[in-house]
Amino acid sequence: MGLLERLRKEWFILGIVLVIAVARLEPGVGVKGGPLKPEITITYIAVSAIFFNSGLSLKTEELTSALMHVKLHLFVQIFTLVFFPTAIWAFLQLLSITPINEWLLKGLQTVGCMPPPVSSAVILTKAVGGNEAAAIFNSAFGSFLGIVITPLLLLLFLGSSSSVPFTSIFSQLFMTVVVPLIIGQIVRRYIKDWLERKKPPFGAISSSVLLMIIYTTFCDTFANPNIDLDKFSLIIIVFIIFSVQMSFMFLTFLFSTRNNSTFTPADTVAIVFCSTHKSLTLGIPMLKIVFAGYEHLSLISVPLLIYHPAQILLGSLLVPTIKSWMVSRQKALKLTRQPKAPVKV
């Protein structure tokens, strides 16, 4: 029973492994121009479906309570969309002289440019007992910002504008991301009560569509005989990803708990997860749009595919430690705020 429960929880990560294996065995099915017609079914229908689903599931009314915590939001968004990609870029200048596969290094840069995820950061913040409203707001707000900022960052750091027209990227993003998201929010207003009663599996629906996108991406790779991924580069990239996550979690923790900080322990929990997690749901479709036609698209996608399970694994392992820190810190703060009893003479 324990194993079945674990498989149920980890089905998406297992699904990624499975679709990559299937793509390796029979790449002709999902390749561009193949039977699945991914240039239509994936590029337009699947991506639109993911963002319509996001719009339908996003509880905008829950975000209003967290709206006024401006300092926290500014910190999370600046760290995620300014500091993170810039730090990765500086680090990659050093790594560029190593024999690591250049397309995997470009993939690391794309990870840095991604917005926060809508799910994992919120789930882990809730598991610890942190500021869930702030996590929801920053995940949702970061996703909206990411629709505009992430493609700009990708063009800035990777210079893909030389082969992909800037205007076509944004027109496609608008039609397949922004429009479905807005439609989803409008539809939600009319069927809100039904959604609250039935609680559709929004996460499972998005994840299933995402597996289709990952499958067709790797079909293109395995159908191309010129692409070769060496194991040395892959192992190094996995090590770098775990190191980056641990370092940035520690950095955000130090900053949000410094003496002159006004953040509560619950705020710190939301900051640590929201600032360091990156969205696979937004990321893969965006890479598909921005790097359309790149023969190395799947290699560029690999670091993001590794980063997603890594952030869930690391976050899950750290939940008990962060929870015990937060509880003890809250108790200590309560004691310091209690009025001292008058001294009897």
Side-chain angles (χ1 to χ4, degrees):
M1 184 66 183
L3 180 64
L4 285 172
E5 183 66 20
R6 192 165 183 80
L7 287 172
R8 188 182 67 79
K9 284 181 179 177
E10 308 296 339
W11 74 271
F12 180 63
I13 293 166
L14 292 170
I16 291 175
V17 175
L18 184 64
V19 295
I20 293 173
V22 173
R24 181 76 184 91
L25 291 170
E26 199 56 62
V29 177
V31 79
K32 194 175 181 180
L36 277 183
K37 293 281 184 285
E39 60 273 21
I40 298 165
T41 56
I42 299 299
T43 306
Y44 294 100
I45 299 169
V47 175
S48 298
I50 280 180
F51 289 100
F52 173 74
N53 188 54
S54 294
L56 207 57
S57 63
L58 204 59
K59 295 181 180 178
T60 35
E61 62 274 13
E62 282 188 3
L63 308 182
T64 50
S65 62
L67 192 61
M68 300 312 291
H69 210 332
V70 178
K71 190 181 173 185
L72 189 151
H73 308 326
L74 274 175
F75 176 79
V76 171
Q77 300 308 327
I78 290 169
F79 190 95
T80 309
L81 296 169
V82 179
F83 177 80
F84 203 128
T86 308
I88 293 292
W89 177 83
F91 183 48
L92 290 182
Q93 301 313 299
L94 299 172
L95 291 179
S96 62
I97 59 170
T98 66
I100 301 170
N101 185 294
E102 66 166 312
W103 298 102
L104 287 180
L105 292 180
K106 285 180 186 290
L108 269 179
Q109 185 64 69
T110 67
V111 170
C113 297
M114 291 302 152
V118 177
S119 56
S120 62
V122 176
I123 292 164
L124 289 167
T125 301
K126 188 176 183 178
V128 172
N131 190 337
E132 192 186 348
I136 291 168
F137 179 88
N138 279 286
S139 295
F141 185 57
S143 297
F144 281 114
L145 280 180
I147 292 165
V148 176
I149 294 174
T150 293
L152 286 172
L153 290 172
L154 291 171
L155 295 171
L156 174 68
F157 287 109
L158 297 168
S160 57
S161 54
S162 56
S163 60
V164 182
F166 187 82
T167 48
S168 74
I169 290 171
F170 279 94
S171 60
Q172 193 174 338
L173 275 171
F174 186 77
M175 293 309 296
T176 58
V177 177
V178 181
V179 171
L181 205 62
I182 292 168
I183 293 170
Q185 281 281 282
I186 293 167
V187 172
R188 181 181 172 80
R189 288 185 67 184
Y190 292 100
I191 60 166
K192 185 183 160 188
D193 293 337
W194 181 84
L195 290 172
E196 293 295 327
R197 277 199 319 274
K198 296 291 181 183
K199 291 185 171 42
F202 293 115
I205 293 165
S206 284
S207 297
S208 301
V209 178
L210 201 56
L211 287 176
M212 282 176 59
I213 297 173
I214 294 165
Y215 168 68
T216 56
T217 301
F218 276 85
C219 282
D220 282 336
T221 302
F222 295 129
N224 186 341
N226 301 320
I227 288 179
D228 180 42
L229 176 60
D230 61 294
K231 287 174 184 173
F232 166 77
S233 293
L234 193 60
I235 291 165
I236 295 296
I237 290 295
V238 171
F239 175 75
I240 289 168
I241 283 169
F242 274 94
S243 301
V244 163
Q245 281 195 40
M246 286 298 291
S247 303
F248 283 2
M249 285 178 90
F250 185 62
L251 192 64
T252 51
F253 177 80
L254 280 181
F255 188 88
S256 59
T257 55
R258 70 196 195 286
N259 289 335
N260 60 341
S261 167
T262 55
F263 299 126
T264 66
D267 291 341
T268 294
V269 174
I271 287 168
V272 166
F273 289 126
C274 290
S275 302
T276 57
H277 280 212
K278 294 291 183 175
S279 176
L280 184 71
T281 311
L282 276 165
I284 293 293
M286 278 190 182
L287 292 180
K288 197 86 176 169
I289 294 166
V290 177
F291 295 101
Y294 266 54
E295 64 174 15
H296 295 283
L297 172 60
S298 63
L299 290 187
I300 292 171
S301 308
V302 164
L304 188 57
L305 291 171
I306 295 168
Y307 198 95
H308 177 77
Q311 69 190 12
I312 294 168
L313 177 65
L314 264 180
S316 302
L317 290 172
L318 289 170
V319 161
T321 309
I322 296 173
K323 192 169 189 172
S324 64
W325 167 82
M326 189 188 76
V327 170
S328 61
R329 178 84 180 202
Q330 283 172 333
K331 281 179 182 174
L333 286 170
K334 249 183 197 175
L335 287 170
T336 55
R337 283 172 190 162
Q338 279 179 359
K340 289 180 182 178
V343 180
K344 290 180 180 178
V345 181

